[in-house]
Amino acid sequence: MKIGVSSGSLEVLKRRVVKKDSPTTLYLLVGNKCLNNCAFCIQARNMRKESFMLSRISWPPIELKELEILLSEFNPFKRICLQVTNHIGWKNNITEVINNLKKHNIPISISAPIENLEDVNFLFQKGAERINISIDAAEKELYEKIKEKNWEEKINLIKEASKNFPEKITTHIIVGLGEKENKLVELIRDLSNWRVRIALFAFTPLPGTPLENIPQPSYQKYRKIQIITYLLQNHLIDFKDLKFKDDDLILTKTIIEKTYPYFNEIFKTSGCPECNRPYYNESPRITPYNYPRDLTLKEINEIKLLLENGARVI
Ligand code: SF4
């Protein structure tokens, strides 16, 4: 059986070198062409071209046995993440992969085409340590248009899964799909109350997808959402302390000052523990939306300046 390995993870395995922005998680792709039809995804059902890409990352396929050998020779990873597309036989395939990887004793996160609580139970029974149930689009109308699925069913599933498996559920949210900030922040509030970990992604337009012409979100918007996500996820503010103008979230000076002690954490990649997804949303040549490593003092000061210039004093 072949399995996709993210190019960054494969580089670590083959070169046996860990840099400060190398992946701390081993990212694997199980299955490629997907039966789902998410409008932002290169593996979607309606995409004609076969591709080894997911977001802007390539996932060259290798034999599972070869991966086993590479891992037994050099394994600096603190987590394994299995991204599973919706393909016929995915449950059998994931079972085979987990059975082969379990012996390495690294926590496994699984992001799979989960439809119900039975699927969640199935994956935990097989050996998952955490499960991701992706929302991606943070608003009902947008979700149903972009993902072609039912919003209430997905939100209820996440809520129920988080009750049955407290602190073990993650979700992915993409910022910049056209969502209203007030709706996005309400969703982040609910997920935080349910103790669901949020992995933020910056929307990345991919050539050939229906959303290829939508630009990436501005850094100012993305930093604002990172801040509010961090504060709500860590229960450092109340939703009622937040201010909105029309649909937009206003980042006040008081909120910005509250974030200063956490500045080195807020802008790093969020989601499962030890997940740093280097350069998943942007080229290494530009400022990262999600920092896969500690920030430098210069980077921290740049973000402070960006925020202070955009903050409203209330
Ligand atoms: S947050 Fe990271 S480790 Fe968790 S499912 Fe998403 S990509 Fe995988």
Side-chain angles (χ1 to χ4, degrees):
M1 174 185 181
K2 286 204 171 186
I3 187 162
V5 185
S6 84
S7 46
S9 306
L10 196 57
E11 186 183 316
V12 169
L13 283 169
K14 289 200 162 167
R15 292 205 184 162
R16 301 187 190 182
V17 175
V18 178
K19 294 181 272 178
K20 64 178 187 310
D21 58 353
S22 292
T24 44
T25 288
L26 170 62
Y27 297 99
L28 303 173
L29 178 63
V30 182
N32 41 11
K33 201 72 184 157
C34 188
L35 294 169
N36 293 347
N37 205 27
C38 304
F40 51 80
C41 184
I42 214 145
Q43 296 297 345
R45 189 177 68 230
N46 284 354
M47 291 289 297
R48 289 213 187 90
K49 264 207 298 196
E50 283 291 322
S51 158
F52 295 124
M53 305 291 285
L54 198 58
S55 191
R56 55 174 302 284
I57 303 284
S58 74
W59 304 69
I62 66 170
E63 284 296 335
L64 189 52
K65 285 208 163 43
E66 189 189 343
L67 174 64
E68 276 291 291
I69 295 167
L70 287 169
L71 259 182
S72 60
E73 289 168 349
F74 185 67
N75 179 6
F77 298 107
K78 301 195 176 85
R79 177 167 294 273
I80 294 174
C81 171
L82 299 171
Q83 296 283 327
V84 188
T85 62
N86 190 3
H87 61 281
I88 291 166
W90 72 263
K91 285 191 179 171
N92 288 340
N93 288 341
I94 197 76
T95 304
E96 184 179 341
V97 172
I98 296 175
N99 287 343
N100 275 278
L101 295 175
K102 261 199 294 208
K103 58 177 157 297
H104 296 283
N105 274 330
I106 313 172
I108 298 176
S109 290
I110 302 183
S111 185
I114 293 164
E115 294 293 342
N116 48 46
L117 279 177
E118 274 165 38
D119 292 342
V120 177
N121 284 328
F122 167 81
L123 292 172
F124 277 120
Q125 272 165 15
K126 290 292 167 199
E129 195 263 339
R130 295 190 64 87
I131 290 190
N132 170 56
I133 308 173
S134 283
I135 297 175
D136 297 324
E139 219 181 293
K140 178 179 162 62
E141 292 71 30
L142 210 55
Y143 178 90
E144 296 189 344
K145 191 166 153 214
I146 287 178
K147 305 259 305 180
E148 302 179 1
K149 300 255 179 194
N150 182 289
W151 167 264
E152 281 83 12
E153 279 175 19
K154 186 51 61 96
I155 296 295
N156 286 336
L157 175 60
I158 292 175
K159 188 175 178 184
E160 288 309 308
S162 69
K163 277 190 209 156
N164 291 3
F165 299 96
E167 315 262 356
K168 292 290 176 193
I169 304 297
T170 298
T171 192
H172 291 179
I173 292 181
I174 302 174
V175 176
L177 286 170
E179 67 286 338
K180 293 184 196 74
E181 288 181 5
N182 55 353
K183 296 285 173 204
L184 171 60
V185 176
E186 282 170 22
L187 177 66
I188 293 168
R189 172 201 60 194
D190 292 345
L191 293 164
S192 303
N193 288 342
W194 305 336
R195 310 255 166 192
V196 173
R197 279 214 188 210
I198 297 170
L200 286 181
F201 291 73
F203 169 66
T204 305
L206 299 171
T209 61
L211 304 185
E212 66 180 345
N213 292 322
I214 296 185
Q216 287 204 281
S218 70
Y219 283 103
Q220 208 151 33
K221 179 190 177 82
Y222 197 74
R223 299 292 179 231
K224 186 162 74 166
I225 301 303
Q226 280 176 308
I227 284 176
I228 293 307
T229 304
Y230 187 89
L231 294 175
L232 287 170
Q233 286 263 278
N234 291 289
H235 310 283
L236 295 165
I237 45 165
D238 268 345
F239 183 78
K240 63 176 166 40
D241 299 336
L242 297 177
K243 306 236 179 301
F244 295 89
K245 183 168 187 302
D246 303 322
D247 297 332
D248 287 343
L249 172 72
I250 307 294
L251 212 51
T252 61
K253 276 237 166 2
T254 324
I255 296 243
I256 293 176
E257 277 160 15
K258 210 172 211 163
T259 64
Y260 287 162
Y262 314 102
F263 240 68
N264 198 26
E265 290 307 311
I266 293 176
F267 308 103
K268 285 198 212 164
T269 307
S270 56
C272 301
E274 311 296 350
C275 171
N276 69 342
R277 303 190 298 276
Y279 313 115
Y280 201 82
N281 291 147
E282 68 289 284
S283 146
R285 288 182 292 277
I286 67 166
T287 303
Y289 284 93
N290 298 314
Y291 284 83
R293 50 161 173 81
D294 287 337
L295 283 74
T296 63
L297 195 57
K298 182 169 172 272
E299 287 165 339
I300 287 178
N301 287 334
E302 279 167 4
I303 295 177
K304 280 186 179 165
L305 202 63
L306 178 80
L307 293 172
E308 278 157 13
N309 287 341
R312 299 263 191 102
V313 183
I314 294 183

